[in-house]
Amino acid sequence: MDIYQMYKQKQTSAAAAVGVIKSGDWVDYGWAVTTPIALDAALSQRIEELDDIKLRGGVLVQMPEVFKVDTQGKHASWHTWHASGIGRKLIEQGLGFYMPMRYSELPRYYKETKATPSVVMLQVAPMDNHGYFNFGLSASHLSACIEKAKVVIVEVNENMPRCLGGFGTDVHISQVDMIVEGDNPPLVEVPSAEISQVDEAVAKLIVEEISDGACIQLGIGGMPNAVGSFIAKSDLKDLGVHTEVYVDAFVKMSEAGKVNGRKKSINQGRQTYSFAMGSKKLYDFLNNNPECMSAPVDYTNDIRTIAALDNFISINNAVDIDLFGQVNSESSGTRHISGAGGQLDFVLGAYLAKNGKSFICCSSTMRAKDGTLKSRILPTLHEGSIITATRANVHYFVTEYGKANLKGLSTWEKCEAIISLAHPDFREDLIAQAEKMKIWRMSNKIRP
């Protein structure tokens, strides 16, 4: 059948499309900026006639309309692979739950388990002349998710960039059950985190470790954003990009002429990423740009892929770290913040890469709600905190007070190095705690 005839047959309204959803269904909601808009609004109109609807996705960029109606979670719940601020709010309200898993494992999880989505609905770019809808800003795990879904509904948005890749970036109309043409709203923009003086201090220390021809991965937040800004102003050249999330810092680096990917061991000349979010400028930059390569997360975050890239530099944030070198990047005690994401994959992969380096960074302190200054470097992690990167895996740790290569150090050497990066006001107490835990030697010299 002609693809345009097929399009006509499958086209329907958002209200009619969500009519297939039944009580008890698992409904996948895309990922980040590809989360549906018109379909979500339509589902919110009938959510009160349904029970036990389990919505699943990750990195929400706006509150689903469903939860503006079902404010008590009597009819639906949110299940997230990675929480943004909105997802965190839903969890705190008892409306959502985190699903712990390394982000790189999602495609295999969908393909090999019985967690088949009843319905998948997501925003896509308009169909091309060959019958393909592009996943736009989120290749992520969506191809695998659709492969196993019972019903696939795409919501076409003319503002969705067409993000080139090579595999796992599109779905053919023959695999789609229903097509909804939405109102083509502008894509949600996600502002870059503000850069503080601490972020700048940390970024400067990291950029000193980057050489020409390095391949860069940046996480989300002020510090990675600061690193990108410093790189854009630096004398570095011939850099490559291979990352989980593509953010505005990469656009700055590209516009400054720092990125060409010529030295990349694989995907030479291509900036590789799994999903993207940021400004309209970023979305326009990615649209039909052959320099940029969208790819599934089981490729971008695979330790073997990362390890194949020489001179790989991985830069990620942490919530806190303890004197054993255990890194928590997911929670504040039992309070959920984000998720496992790809941090461990990049920590391991970067270290395995030839001349690769992995950096975990954070400010040495934070302000509590009552204004009290608190150390992010702790004797032991708070009860209930999640260990994202184990003490055996961490490579470089960086705060505004310096950087240290923790790899291979004994417990007392590691403890000494970590305390040297703490705020001076907390070092004496940390030393006292280290002595109690038998990881401090009398010969250690660090004092405030």
Side-chain angles (χ1 to χ4, degrees), residues 46-90:
R46 63 175 299 243
I47 195 64
E48 291 180 327
E49 66 189 57
L50 298 167
D51 291 304
D52 193 28
I53 298 299
K54 296 170 282 286
L55 304 179
R56 180 167 54 190
V59 198
L60 285 173
V61 294
Q62 59 187 21
M63 181 65 75
E65 292 296 317
V66 165
F67 296 109
K68 294 179 183 179
V69 175
D70 187 19
T71 58
Q72 301 300 311
K74 293 179 179 178
H75 306 278
S77 54
W78 176 248
H79 296 254
T80 184
W81 296 117
H82 197 87
S84 61
I86 295 167
R88 184 160 59 245
K89 183 177 180 181
L90 289 172

Side-chain angles (χ1 to χ4, degrees), residues 24-197:
D25 278 353
W26 280 90
V27 181
D28 271 69
Y29 250 42
W31 184 266
V33 183
T34 65
T35 300
I37 305 296
L39 288 163
D40 170 52
L43 181 58
S44 74
Q45 296 300 306
R46 63 175 299 243
I47 195 64
E48 291 180 327
E49 66 189 57
L50 298 167
D51 291 304
D52 193 28
I53 298 299
K54 296 170 282 286
L55 304 179
R56 180 167 54 190
V59 198
L60 285 173
V61 294
Q62 59 187 21
M63 181 65 75
E65 292 296 317
V66 165
F67 296 109
K68 294 179 183 179
V69 175
D70 187 19
T71 58
Q72 301 300 311
K74 293 179 179 178
H75 306 278
S77 54
W78 176 248
H79 296 254
T80 184
W81 296 117
H82 197 87
S84 61
I86 295 167
R88 184 160 59 245
K89 183 177 180 181
L90 289 172
I91 291 170
E92 289 173 353
Q93 293 175 338
L95 303 175
F97 304 91
Y98 172 59
M99 296 177 289
M101 188 176 290
R102 283 161 51 221
Y103 183 26
S104 61
E105 296 176 336
L106 291 200
R108 179 177 175 180
Y109 173 78
Y110 278 93
K111 289 177 181 179
E112 295 186 1
T113 72
K114 294 181 180 179
T116 301
S118 309
V119 180
V120 174
M121 23 195 243
L122 68 156
Q123 288 192 87
V124 294
M127 186 180 76
D128 67 16
N129 292 332
H130 304 286
Y132 286 92
F133 296 94
N134 186 263
F135 294 138
L137 297 165
S138 299
S140 188
H141 59 292
L142 299 182
S143 183
C145 181
I146 282 173
E147 182 182 321
K148 290 295 184 178
K150 294 175 182 175
V151 179
V152 177
I153 309 171
V154 296
E155 178 181 321
V156 177
N157 187 337
E158 292 177 359
N159 292 309
M160 183 66 69
R162 183 169 175 263
C163 296
L164 308 180
F167 63 101
T169 56
D170 304 83
V171 58
H172 192 263
I173 190 170
S174 60
Q175 293 177 273
V176 172
D177 296 292
M178 286 179 272
I179 301 164
V180 171
E181 293 187 350
D183 296 327
N184 301 307
L187 298 181
V188 177
E189 296 185 58
V190 182
S192 298
E194 292 187 15
I195 299 174
S196 68
Q197 289 184 331

Side-chain angles (χ1 to χ4, degrees), residues 232 241 246 249-259 271 285 291:
V241 170
Y246 197 92
F250 290 119
V251 179
K252 288 182 187 176
M253 290 162 53
S254 300
E255 290 182 337
K258 305 303 174 185
V259 177
Q271 298 190 45
F285 181 80
E291 179 186 350

Side-chain angles (χ1 to χ4, degrees), residues 215 242 263-267 299-300 302-312 348-356:
C215 188
H242 183 99
K263 304 289 186 180
K264 287 182 73 175
S265 316
I266 57 174
N267 307 134
Y299 177 77
T300 60
D302 190 312
I303 294 168
R304 293 162 293 191
T305 305
I306 299 163
L309 289 154
D310 295 349
N311 304 302
F312 197 90
L348 294 171
Y351 187 72
L352 288 172
K354 183 180 179 181
N355 300 319

Side-chain angles (χ1 to χ4, degrees), residues 318-334 337 343 360 362 375-391 394 397 418 430 433 437 439:
V319 176
D320 43 39
I321 185 172
D322 68 17
L323 297 183
F324 291 98
Q326 300 180 117
V327 174
N328 162 36
S329 302
E330 302 179 45
S331 72
S332 177
T334 58
I337 293 178
Q343 184 171 114
I360 297 292
C362 68
S375 178
R376 289 188 185 274
I377 295 175
L378 309 168
T380 57
L381 295 178
H382 295 302
E383 184 177 357
S385 289
I386 307 301
I387 298 172
T388 310
T390 74
R391 62 180 181 172
V394 178
F397 176 59
I418 293 170
L430 288 169
Q433 294 297 320
M437 294 188 293
I439 53 173

